[in-house]
Amino acid sequence: MQSLQDLWFGFGVAFQGNNLMWSFFGVLVGNLIGVLPGMGALSAISILLPLTYVMHPVPAILMLAGIFYGSQYGGAIGAILLNLPSHPPHAVTCLDGYPMTKAGRGGAALGITMICSFFAASVGILVMVFASPLLTEIAFKFGPAEIFSIMLLGLLAGSTMSRGSPLKGVAMTLFGLLCGVVGTDVNSGSFRFSFGVAELTDGLELVAIAMGLFGVADFLLNVNRMKVVTSDAKVTLRDMRPTREELKQAFWPMMRGTAVGTLFGAMPGTGPTITTFVAYALERKISKNPEKFGTGEIAGVAGPEASAHSKTQVDFIPTMSLGIPGDAVMALLLGALLIQGIQPGPQLISEHPDIFWGLIASFWIGNVILMILNVPMIGVWVKMLRVPYKYMFPSAMFFIAVGVYSTQNSLFHIWEVLAFGVIGMVLMMLDFSVAPIMLGFVLGPMVEENFRRALLLSRGDMSIFVTRPISGAFVGISALLLAAVTWSAWRAAARKRAARGTVTVLPQQA
C-alpha cells in the first residue's frame, strides 16, 4: 500500500503544469529524434543537457527521460515503413516490419508496435514501483565499500558487454576513468593531468564530452551522406487497428519480449540492441514455423519492440537506485542529476521522493501522450525522413556550439567538443565503442571517492572490500565476469588458431 501512496504522490508531482509541459516537450522531441536517422537519444540529450543548468531538477529529469523513451517509439516508424533502422536496436524490427509494409500491413505493424510498447512500458513501470520498497530497505546497508564494489561491477559490465571486443571496451572504460580524474584532487587540492592549462583545473566538462562523442563524432562520420530516403507508404488511422487474429498472434511474443527486456534492464551494461536481438532469436527458436521469419511475421515485430520498451523503463532502476548507469544514455542522465547536486544511489528514494516518484508517474503520462501523438503524426514523421542530411548537419552543429558555450560562457569548452568529436570519430572508424568512455567518466570520480573513503575507514586494510558481505558478493561477481570474458576470449583465439592451422590437402591430378 505504501508504494501505491507514493505513486499517487508522484502523479501529483508529474501533473503540475510546469512538469507536465517539460515532460510533453521531452517525449515530442524524443519521438522526432527517434524517427530521424543518425540522431538518437544520445545526441538529443547531449544537445539539451545545457538547458538543465537553469531548470529545477524535477522538470529537467522528466524532460531528459521523455527524450529517452520517446525516441524508442520513433525509431520503429522508419524501420517498419522505410526499412531504415534509425538506431541499432530497431535494426531487427526491419526484418519483419518492412515486409509487412510491402504486403500492405504496415499500419497493422505500427499498431501492434504501439500496443506492445505501451504494455511493456507499463510492466517496466510496475517493476520499478514494487521494487522500490526493497531498495529503500537495503539503502542504509550500503557504505563506501559496498558502493565502490557495485560501481566496479557496473564498470566491468559496461565495458565487457559493450559492442565489439571486450578488450576494446575495457580500454575505452579506462580512457573514461582517466578523463574523470582530470582536474583538482578533492582530498589534497593538487592539480592532476591539467598540463598547466588553467581551464582544465576544474576538470573536463560533461556536456562537452557527451556532445563530442555522441553528437559531433556521429555527424562527422555521416557528413557525406546525401541520399534522401523516399517512401510511398501511406498509413491511416483505420490501417493501424490490428485484427483480432493479429492481436492473438502478437500476445505471447509481447509477453516474452517484455520478460526479456525486464531481465536485461536490471543488468547494467546490456544495451538495448542486445535485448532486441535476443528477443527476436527467442521467438524464432520457439516458433513452429521459423522459416516465416523475415517475410512479415508479427512475432518478429512484437517481441523485439516489447523488449526494447520494457528495458527502457527498467533501465532506470540501477541508475536511480544504485547509481549504476546501464548504458551511455543512462550515464548522461546520471550526469544530469550530478549537475543538479543530486547524488544517485540507494538513498535517492528517501531523500528526493519528488524526483523518483514524479519520474515513475511521468512514464505513464508520457507513454499515453506518445500513443495519442503518433496516430495523427505518422505522415509528418515520414516526411521528416526525406529532409536532406546536408541541412540537418549544420543546424545540429550550430545548436551544439550554442549549447556547450551557454554552460559556462567559455570558448574553451567548444574546443573540447571538437577534440572529443574527432577522437570519437577516429575510435568509431577503428570499431571502438565510445559508450564505455561515458560510463568511465561519470562513474570514475565516484569510484575513486568511495574507494579512498573505504580505505580511510579501514585504516588502509584492503580486506574491507571482501570481508563485508554485500561488498564481497559484488567483488565476487566482478571476478566471475572477468573470468568468463577471459575464457570466452581464449576459446575464440584458440578456434582462430585451429582454423589457421588446418591444411586442406588437394588430390593430385593423374
Side-chain angles (χ1 to χ4, degrees), residues 304-335:
E305 287 300 317
S307 68
H309 285 266
S310 59
K311 174 175 171 51
T312 298
Q313 306 299 156
V314 180
D315 263 339
F316 284 87
I317 294 179
T319 302
M320 302 292 287
S321 60
L322 299 176
I324 300 178
D327 54 22
V329 177
M330 290 291 104
L332 283 182
L333 291 174
L334 190 67

PDB file of all heavy atoms in Angstrom, residues 304-335:
ATOM      1  N   PRO A 304      10.636  -8.072 -30.230  1.00  0.00           N
ATOM      2  CA  PRO A 304      11.724  -7.095 -30.062  1.00  0.00           C
ATOM      3  C   PRO A 304      11.261  -5.732 -29.560  1.00  0.00           C
ATOM      4  O   PRO A 304      11.928  -5.118 -28.725  1.00  0.00           O
ATOM      5  CB  PRO A 304      12.314  -6.995 -31.477  1.00  0.00           C
ATOM      6  CG  PRO A 304      11.980  -8.284 -32.125  1.00  0.00           C
ATOM      7  CD  PRO A 304      10.641  -8.663 -31.576  1.00  0.00           C
ATOM      8  N   GLU A 305      10.113  -5.239 -30.081  1.00  0.00           N
ATOM      9  CA  GLU A 305       9.654  -3.923 -29.645  1.00  0.00           C
ATOM     10  C   GLU A 305       9.234  -3.931 -28.179  1.00  0.00           C
ATOM     11  O   GLU A 305       9.503  -2.985 -27.435  1.00  0.00           O
ATOM     12  CB  GLU A 305       8.493  -3.454 -30.534  1.00  0.00           C
ATOM     13  CG  GLU A 305       8.916  -3.045 -31.931  1.00  0.00           C
ATOM     14  CD  GLU A 305       9.909  -1.894 -31.917  1.00  0.00           C
ATOM     15  OE1 GLU A 305       9.710  -0.940 -31.150  1.00  0.00           O
ATOM     16  OE2 GLU A 305      10.909  -1.957 -32.666  1.00  0.00           O
ATOM     17  N   ALA A 306       8.578  -4.994 -27.739  1.00  0.00           N
ATOM     18  CA  ALA A 306       8.209  -5.089 -26.320  1.00  0.00           C
ATOM     19  C   ALA A 306       9.453  -5.149 -25.446  1.00  0.00           C
ATOM     20  O   ALA A 306       9.510  -4.502 -24.387  1.00  0.00           O
ATOM     21  CB  ALA A 306       7.335  -6.326 -26.094  1.00  0.00           C
ATOM     22  N   SER A 307      10.458  -5.896 -25.874  1.00  0.00           N
ATOM     23  CA  SER A 307      11.683  -5.999 -25.077  1.00  0.00           C
ATOM     24  C   SER A 307      12.403  -4.657 -24.988  1.00  0.00           C
ATOM     25  O   SER A 307      12.928  -4.293 -23.933  1.00  0.00           O
ATOM     26  CB  SER A 307      12.612  -7.053 -25.682  1.00  0.00           C
ATOM     27  OG  SER A 307      13.123  -6.640 -26.933  1.00  0.00           O
ATOM     28  N   ALA A 308      12.416  -3.897 -26.091  1.00  0.00           N
ATOM     29  CA  ALA A 308      13.096  -2.595 -26.087  1.00  0.00           C
ATOM     30  C   ALA A 308      12.439  -1.634 -25.111  1.00  0.00           C
ATOM     31  O   ALA A 308      13.121  -0.907 -24.378  1.00  0.00           O
ATOM     32  CB  ALA A 308      13.100  -2.003 -27.499  1.00  0.00           C
ATOM     33  N   HIS A 309      11.105  -1.632 -25.056  1.00  0.00           N
ATOM     34  CA  HIS A 309      10.410  -0.657 -24.212  1.00  0.00           C
ATOM     35  C   HIS A 309      10.407  -1.055 -22.743  1.00  0.00           C
ATOM     36  O   HIS A 309      10.504  -0.185 -21.868  1.00  0.00           O
ATOM     37  CB  HIS A 309       8.990  -0.458 -24.723  1.00  0.00           C
ATOM     38  CG  HIS A 309       8.922   0.362 -25.973  1.00  0.00           C
ATOM     39  ND1 HIS A 309       8.724   1.728 -25.973  1.00  0.00           N
ATOM     40  CD2 HIS A 309       9.073   0.016 -27.267  1.00  0.00           C
ATOM     41  CE1 HIS A 309       8.747   2.169 -27.216  1.00  0.00           C
ATOM     42  NE2 HIS A 309       8.953   1.157 -28.023  1.00  0.00           N
ATOM     43  N   SER A 310      10.293  -2.339 -22.452  1.00  0.00           N
ATOM     44  CA  SER A 310      10.375  -2.733 -21.044  1.00  0.00           C
ATOM     45  C   SER A 310      11.779  -2.489 -20.505  1.00  0.00           C
ATOM     46  O   SER A 310      11.957  -2.045 -19.362  1.00  0.00           O
ATOM     47  CB  SER A 310       9.989  -4.212 -20.882  1.00  0.00           C
ATOM     48  OG  SER A 310      10.842  -5.041 -21.642  1.00  0.00           O
ATOM     49  N   LYS A 311      12.794  -2.735 -21.322  1.00  0.00           N
ATOM     50  CA  LYS A 311      14.163  -2.472 -20.886  1.00  0.00           C
ATOM     51  C   LYS A 311      14.379  -0.983 -20.658  1.00  0.00           C
ATOM     52  O   LYS A 311      15.064  -0.581 -19.700  1.00  0.00           O
ATOM     53  CB  LYS A 311      15.168  -2.992 -21.914  1.00  0.00           C
ATOM     54  CG  LYS A 311      16.611  -2.593 -21.558  1.00  0.00           C
ATOM     55  CD  LYS A 311      17.641  -3.173 -22.454  1.00  0.00           C
ATOM     56  CE  LYS A 311      19.011  -2.564 -22.190  1.00  0.00           C
ATOM     57  NZ  LYS A 311      19.410  -2.583 -20.772  1.00  0.00           N
ATOM     58  N   THR A 312      13.799  -0.142 -21.539  1.00  0.00           N
ATOM     59  CA  THR A 312      13.956   1.301 -21.403  1.00  0.00           C
ATOM     60  C   THR A 312      13.483   1.772 -20.036  1.00  0.00           C
ATOM     61  O   THR A 312      14.125   2.620 -19.402  1.00  0.00           O
ATOM     62  CB  THR A 312      13.167   2.026 -22.503  1.00  0.00           C
ATOM     63  OG1 THR A 312      13.700   1.645 -23.782  1.00  0.00           O
ATOM     64  CG2 THR A 312      13.276   3.533 -22.348  1.00  0.00           C
ATOM     65  N   GLN A 313      12.363   1.240 -19.553  1.00  0.00           N
ATOM     66  CA  GLN A 313      11.845   1.659 -18.252  1.00  0.00           C
ATOM     67  C   GLN A 313      12.644   1.055 -17.108  1.00  0.00           C
ATOM     68  O   GLN A 313      13.011   1.754 -16.162  1.00  0.00           O
ATOM     69  CB  GLN A 313      10.367   1.254 -18.130  1.00  0.00           C
ATOM     70  CG  GLN A 313       9.483   1.736 -19.255  1.00  0.00           C
ATOM     71  CD  GLN A 313       9.430   3.248 -19.389  1.00  0.00           C
ATOM     72  OE1 GLN A 313       9.146   3.775 -20.439  1.00  0.00           O
ATOM     73  NE2 GLN A 313       9.714   3.954 -18.345  1.00  0.00           N
ATOM     74  N   VAL A 314      12.948  -0.241 -17.185  1.00  0.00           N
ATOM     75  CA  VAL A 314      13.645  -0.902 -16.088  1.00  0.00           C
ATOM     76  C   VAL A 314      15.088  -0.409 -15.981  1.00  0.00           C
ATOM     77  O   VAL A 314      15.693  -0.497 -14.905  1.00  0.00           O
ATOM     78  CB  VAL A 314      13.578  -2.434 -16.274  1.00  0.00           C
ATOM     79  CG1 VAL A 314      14.298  -3.166 -15.143  1.00  0.00           C
ATOM     80  CG2 VAL A 314      12.130  -2.896 -16.335  1.00  0.00           C
ATOM     81  N   ASP A 315      15.645   0.121 -17.069  1.00  0.00           N
ATOM     82  CA  ASP A 315      16.996   0.678 -17.037  1.00  0.00           C
ATOM     83  C   ASP A 315      17.157   1.726 -15.939  1.00  0.00           C
ATOM     84  O   ASP A 315      18.262   1.939 -15.426  1.00  0.00           O
ATOM     85  CB  ASP A 315      17.332   1.331 -18.386  1.00  0.00           C
ATOM     86  CG  ASP A 315      18.130   0.386 -19.275  1.00  0.00           C
ATOM     87  OD1 ASP A 315      18.744  -0.549 -18.739  1.00  0.00           O
ATOM     88  OD2 ASP A 315      18.140   0.582 -20.495  1.00  0.00           O
ATOM     89  N   PHE A 316      16.061   2.385 -15.579  1.00  0.00           N
ATOM     90  CA  PHE A 316      16.145   3.445 -14.579  1.00  0.00           C
ATOM     91  C   PHE A 316      16.355   2.895 -13.167  1.00  0.00           C
ATOM     92  O   PHE A 316      16.740   3.651 -12.273  1.00  0.00           O
ATOM     93  CB  PHE A 316      14.866   4.296 -14.604  1.00  0.00           C
ATOM     94  CG  PHE A 316      14.804   5.248 -15.756  1.00  0.00           C
ATOM     95  CD1 PHE A 316      14.296   4.855 -16.978  1.00  0.00           C
ATOM     96  CD2 PHE A 316      15.278   6.542 -15.632  1.00  0.00           C
ATOM     97  CE1 PHE A 316      14.238   5.729 -18.049  1.00  0.00           C
ATOM     98  CE2 PHE A 316      15.236   7.427 -16.701  1.00  0.00           C
ATOM     99  CZ  PHE A 316      14.708   7.017 -17.918  1.00  0.00           C
ATOM    100  N   ILE A 317      16.093   1.602 -12.945  1.00  0.00           N
ATOM    101  CA  ILE A 317      16.251   1.042 -11.594  1.00  0.00           C
ATOM    102  C   ILE A 317      17.704   1.086 -11.147  1.00  0.00           C
ATOM    103  O   ILE A 317      18.019   1.680 -10.099  1.00  0.00           O
ATOM    104  CB  ILE A 317      15.673  -0.383 -11.528  1.00  0.00           C
ATOM    105  CG1 ILE A 317      14.162  -0.352 -11.715  1.00  0.00           C
ATOM    106  CG2 ILE A 317      16.026  -1.031 -10.188  1.00  0.00           C
ATOM    107  CD1 ILE A 317      13.516  -1.721 -11.686  1.00  0.00           C
ATOM    108  N   PRO A 318      18.654   0.468 -11.871  1.00  0.00           N
ATOM    109  CA  PRO A 318      20.045   0.548 -11.406  1.00  0.00           C
ATOM    110  C   PRO A 318      20.611   1.957 -11.457  1.00  0.00           C
ATOM    111  O   PRO A 318      21.480   2.302 -10.655  1.00  0.00           O
ATOM    112  CB  PRO A 318      20.798  -0.400 -12.351  1.00  0.00           C
ATOM    113  CG  PRO A 318      19.947  -0.494 -13.569  1.00  0.00           C
ATOM    114  CD  PRO A 318      18.537  -0.364 -13.086  1.00  0.00           C
ATOM    115  N   THR A 319      20.103   2.788 -12.386  1.00  0.00           N
ATOM    116  CA  THR A 319      20.635   4.150 -12.491  1.00  0.00           C
ATOM    117  C   THR A 319      20.211   5.011 -11.315  1.00  0.00           C
ATOM    118  O   THR A 319      21.040   5.673 -10.678  1.00  0.00           O
ATOM    119  CB  THR A 319      20.163   4.803 -13.806  1.00  0.00           C
ATOM    120  OG1 THR A 319      20.583   4.006 -14.907  1.00  0.00           O
ATOM    121  CG2 THR A 319      20.753   6.207 -13.949  1.00  0.00           C
ATOM    122  N   MET A 320      18.930   5.013 -11.006  1.00  0.00           N
ATOM    123  CA  MET A 320      18.406   5.891  -9.962  1.00  0.00           C
ATOM    124  C   MET A 320      18.667   5.355  -8.561  1.00  0.00           C
ATOM    125  O   MET A 320      18.973   6.115  -7.642  1.00  0.00           O
ATOM    126  CB  MET A 320      16.898   6.087 -10.160  1.00  0.00           C
ATOM    127  CG  MET A 320      16.518   6.664 -11.507  1.00  0.00           C
ATOM    128  SD  MET A 320      17.043   8.374 -11.728  1.00  0.00           S
ATOM    129  CE  MET A 320      15.906   9.225 -10.655  1.00  0.00           C
ATOM    130  N   SER A 321      18.547   4.032  -8.386  1.00  0.00           N
ATOM    131  CA  SER A 321      18.611   3.480  -7.027  1.00  0.00           C
ATOM    132  C   SER A 321      20.006   3.030  -6.614  1.00  0.00           C
ATOM    133  O   SER A 321      20.298   2.966  -5.418  1.00  0.00           O
ATOM    134  CB  SER A 321      17.638   2.295  -6.901  1.00  0.00           C
ATOM    135  OG  SER A 321      17.980   1.285  -7.823  1.00  0.00           O
ATOM    136  N   LEU A 322      20.848   2.695  -7.585  1.00  0.00           N
ATOM    137  CA  LEU A 322      22.187   2.216  -7.255  1.00  0.00           C
ATOM    138  C   LEU A 322      23.286   3.122  -7.790  1.00  0.00           C
ATOM    139  O   LEU A 322      24.458   2.949  -7.439  1.00  0.00           O
ATOM    140  CB  LEU A 322      22.395   0.792  -7.795  1.00  0.00           C
ATOM    141  CG  LEU A 322      21.440  -0.278  -7.246  1.00  0.00           C
ATOM    142  CD1 LEU A 322      21.696  -1.602  -7.942  1.00  0.00           C
ATOM    143  CD2 LEU A 322      21.581  -0.409  -5.742  1.00  0.00           C
ATOM    144  N   GLY A 323      22.933   4.067  -8.663  1.00  0.00           N
ATOM    145  CA  GLY A 323      23.936   4.950  -9.239  1.00  0.00           C
ATOM    146  C   GLY A 323      24.783   4.271 -10.295  1.00  0.00           C
ATOM    147  O   GLY A 323      25.891   4.707 -10.577  1.00  0.00           O
ATOM    148  N   ILE A 324      24.263   3.196 -10.906  1.00  0.00           N
ATOM    149  CA  ILE A 324      24.988   2.474 -11.948  1.00  0.00           C
ATOM    150  C   ILE A 324      24.246   2.650 -13.268  1.00  0.00           C
ATOM    151  O   ILE A 324      23.157   2.086 -13.440  1.00  0.00           O
ATOM    152  CB  ILE A 324      25.105   0.975 -11.630  1.00  0.00           C
ATOM    153  CG1 ILE A 324      25.847   0.769 -10.318  1.00  0.00           C
ATOM    154  CG2 ILE A 324      25.818   0.237 -12.747  1.00  0.00           C
ATOM    155  CD1 ILE A 324      25.967  -0.662  -9.921  1.00  0.00           C
ATOM    156  N   PRO A 325      24.771   3.414 -14.199  1.00  0.00           N
ATOM    157  CA  PRO A 325      24.090   3.562 -15.487  1.00  0.00           C
ATOM    158  C   PRO A 325      24.239   2.310 -16.327  1.00  0.00           C
ATOM    159  O   PRO A 325      25.326   1.760 -16.467  1.00  0.00           O
ATOM    160  CB  PRO A 325      24.812   4.752 -16.127  1.00  0.00           C
ATOM    161  CG  PRO A 325      26.164   4.762 -15.495  1.00  0.00           C
ATOM    162  CD  PRO A 325      25.987   4.224 -14.103  1.00  0.00           C
ATOM    163  N   GLY A 326      23.120   1.841 -16.891  1.00  0.00           N
ATOM    164  CA  GLY A 326      23.157   0.638 -17.699  1.00  0.00           C
ATOM    165  C   GLY A 326      23.780   0.831 -19.059  1.00  0.00           C
ATOM    166  O   GLY A 326      24.301  -0.101 -19.641  1.00  0.00           O
ATOM    167  N   ASP A 327      23.711   2.053 -19.602  1.00  0.00           N
ATOM    168  CA  ASP A 327      24.311   2.333 -20.901  1.00  0.00           C
ATOM    169  C   ASP A 327      24.683   3.806 -20.953  1.00  0.00           C
ATOM    170  O   ASP A 327      24.611   4.520 -19.944  1.00  0.00           O
ATOM    171  CB  ASP A 327      23.370   1.948 -22.047  1.00  0.00           C
ATOM    172  CG  ASP A 327      21.990   2.603 -21.919  1.00  0.00           C
ATOM    173  OD1 ASP A 327      21.887   3.642 -21.228  1.00  0.00           O
ATOM    174  OD2 ASP A 327      21.031   2.085 -22.513  1.00  0.00           O
ATOM    175  N   ALA A 328      25.070   4.281 -22.129  1.00  0.00           N
ATOM    176  CA  ALA A 328      25.552   5.655 -22.258  1.00  0.00           C
ATOM    177  C   ALA A 328      24.452   6.681 -21.992  1.00  0.00           C
ATOM    178  O   ALA A 328      24.706   7.744 -21.422  1.00  0.00           O
ATOM    179  CB  ALA A 328      26.143   5.862 -23.654  1.00  0.00           C
ATOM    180  N   VAL A 329      23.218   6.379 -22.415  1.00  0.00           N
ATOM    181  CA  VAL A 329      22.110   7.307 -22.160  1.00  0.00           C
ATOM    182  C   VAL A 329      21.882   7.450 -20.662  1.00  0.00           C
ATOM    183  O   VAL A 329      21.698   8.561 -20.144  1.00  0.00           O
ATOM    184  CB  VAL A 329      20.828   6.824 -22.865  1.00  0.00           C
ATOM    185  CG1 VAL A 329      19.663   7.751 -22.543  1.00  0.00           C
ATOM    186  CG2 VAL A 329      21.034   6.765 -24.371  1.00  0.00           C
ATOM    187  N   MET A 330      21.903   6.327 -19.955  1.00  0.00           N
ATOM    188  CA  MET A 330      21.734   6.386 -18.508  1.00  0.00           C
ATOM    189  C   MET A 330      22.898   7.126 -17.846  1.00  0.00           C
ATOM    190  O   MET A 330      22.717   7.802 -16.827  1.00  0.00           O
ATOM    191  CB  MET A 330      21.632   4.962 -17.943  1.00  0.00           C
ATOM    192  CG  MET A 330      20.358   4.231 -18.286  1.00  0.00           C
ATOM    193  SD  MET A 330      18.887   4.918 -17.470  1.00  0.00           S
ATOM    194  CE  MET A 330      18.145   5.786 -18.828  1.00  0.00           C
ATOM    195  N   ALA A 331      24.084   7.018 -18.431  1.00  0.00           N
ATOM    196  CA  ALA A 331      25.228   7.759 -17.891  1.00  0.00           C
ATOM    197  C   ALA A 331      25.007   9.264 -18.023  1.00  0.00           C
ATOM    198  O   ALA A 331      25.353  10.044 -17.122  1.00  0.00           O
ATOM    199  CB  ALA A 331      26.510   7.354 -18.619  1.00  0.00           C
ATOM    200  N   LEU A 332      24.410   9.688 -19.139  1.00  0.00           N
ATOM    201  CA  LEU A 332      24.107  11.120 -19.303  1.00  0.00           C
ATOM    202  C   LEU A 332      23.056  11.565 -18.297  1.00  0.00           C
ATOM    203  O   LEU A 332      23.153  12.659 -17.729  1.00  0.00           O
ATOM    204  CB  LEU A 332      23.615  11.385 -20.728  1.00  0.00           C
ATOM    205  CG  LEU A 332      24.683  11.436 -21.827  1.00  0.00           C
ATOM    206  CD1 LEU A 332      24.042  11.748 -23.163  1.00  0.00           C
ATOM    207  CD2 LEU A 332      25.742  12.471 -21.504  1.00  0.00           C
ATOM    208  N   LEU A 333      22.028  10.753 -18.080  1.00  0.00           N
ATOM    209  CA  LEU A 333      21.012  11.104 -17.085  1.00  0.00           C
ATOM    210  C   LEU A 333      21.611  11.146 -15.687  1.00  0.00           C
ATOM    211  O   LEU A 333      21.241  11.991 -14.861  1.00  0.00           O
ATOM    212  CB  LEU A 333      19.869  10.096 -17.141  1.00  0.00           C
ATOM    213  CG  LEU A 333      19.007  10.138 -18.401  1.00  0.00           C
ATOM    214  CD1 LEU A 333      18.005   8.998 -18.408  1.00  0.00           C
ATOM    215  CD2 LEU A 333      18.277  11.459 -18.520  1.00  0.00           C
ATOM    216  N   LEU A 334      22.535  10.236 -15.416  1.00  0.00           N
ATOM    217  CA  LEU A 334      23.248  10.261 -14.134  1.00  0.00           C
ATOM    218  C   LEU A 334      24.038  11.559 -14.005  1.00  0.00           C
ATOM    219  O   LEU A 334      24.058  12.192 -12.945  1.00  0.00           O
ATOM    220  CB  LEU A 334      24.170   9.055 -14.043  1.00  0.00           C
ATOM    221  CG  LEU A 334      24.829   8.769 -12.687  1.00  0.00           C
ATOM    222  CD1 LEU A 334      23.780   8.353 -11.678  1.00  0.00           C
ATOM    223  CD2 LEU A 334      25.879   7.685 -12.825  1.00  0.00           C
ATOM    224  N   GLY A 335      24.699  11.957 -15.101  1.00  0.00           N
ATOM    225  CA  GLY A 335      25.433  13.224 -15.088  1.00  0.00           C
ATOM    226  C   GLY A 335      24.527  14.413 -14.874  1.00  0.00           C
ATOM    227  O   GLY A 335      24.899  15.378 -14.200  1.00  0.00           O
TER     228      GLY A 335
END
